[in-house]
Amino acid sequence: MSVNEIRALAQAHLQEIEKEKAAEAQQQAKTEQDLQKYAKIRTKDRPRSGRTEEAAAASGVETFEEVVEGKGPKLRSAGDILDRLRWDPSIDLTNYTVSYLERFEGIKEIPASSWIRESTDEDFIPMHRIRNIKRTQADGQQELVWDRDSKIDLIFGSGGKVKENGPQ
């Protein structure tokens, strides 16, 4: 093999490497674009839409927003809400009621403190049947604090409809 043949072979190999690098960079750019389109990102430095920076900081909960333009943060699950009500010491669980869809009887309500999460229990109700969660105020009025259908979340402030001062 002559020097010119080796040089031509090296040139061809370098061109092949450059093509592979360009394809890899293009794939990386597409992956980043897809992540921005579909993934969620933490936005500690930016308040959720409709909330002041003070309210976001006072809630003590890190915010999430979808990157897709025009959408607010995704509605937190009923399980997340019940966990917050159960474990947050500043919240009295006895003031909350869970409304769920009973397959043959329609919407039923039970106290949040009676909600059973153990699937082996005879009275177990799956989380996906929860329709809304209400707080009973001192005057006996009930306030909707989480609703799946209308995407209201006054506990975490997800779903687009938020309250300035969080749970009481």
Side-chain angles (χ1 to χ4, degrees), residues 75-135:
L75 183 67
R76 299 288 288 257
S77 69
D80 288 347
I81 302 300
L82 287 172
D83 285 344
R84 172 88 185 266
L85 296 178
R86 181 175 290 119
W87 298 110
D88 189 336
S90 67
I91 298 174
D92 183 8
L93 184 62
T94 60
N95 292 335
Y96 291 85
T97 306
V98 176
S99 299
Y100 65 96
L101 180 62
E102 180 63 46
R103 284 187 285 192
F104 305 110
E105 299 176 31
I107 302 290
K108 295 188 93 179
E109 290 186 349
I110 63 169
S113 56
S114 300
W115 186 261
I116 298 169
R117 297 189 74 145
E118 191 62 42
S119 61
T120 58
D121 197 296
E122 187 177 304
D123 296 326
F124 172 72
I125 301 161
M127 289 286 182
H128 68 269
R129 292 208 191 142
I130 296 177
R131 306 317 304 164
N132 61 53
I133 299 174
K134 299 174 188 171
R135 174 177 47 235

Side-chain angles (χ1 to χ4, degrees), residues 150-161:
S150 54
K151 296 194 183 288
I152 294 173
D153 177 6
L154 305 183
I155 302 294
F156 285 105
S158 66
K161 296 182 182 174

Side-chain angles (χ1 to χ4, degrees), residues 39-43 46-51 56 61-77 146-147 150-153 156-163:
K40 296 175 186 173
I41 60 170
R42 290 182 189 265
T43 54
R46 193 170 67 204
R48 285 179 240 162
S49 65
R51 293 183 75 184
V61 178
E62 293 181 275
T63 62
F64 287 89
E65 285 186 0
E66 289 184 14
V67 177
V68 180
E69 292 203 20
K71 284 195 170 186
K74 184 177 175 184
L75 183 67
R76 299 288 288 257
S77 69
W146 184 87
D147 185 72
S150 54
K151 296 194 183 288
I152 294 173
D153 177 6
F156 285 105
S158 66
K161 296 182 182 174
V162 296
K163 185 176 180 178

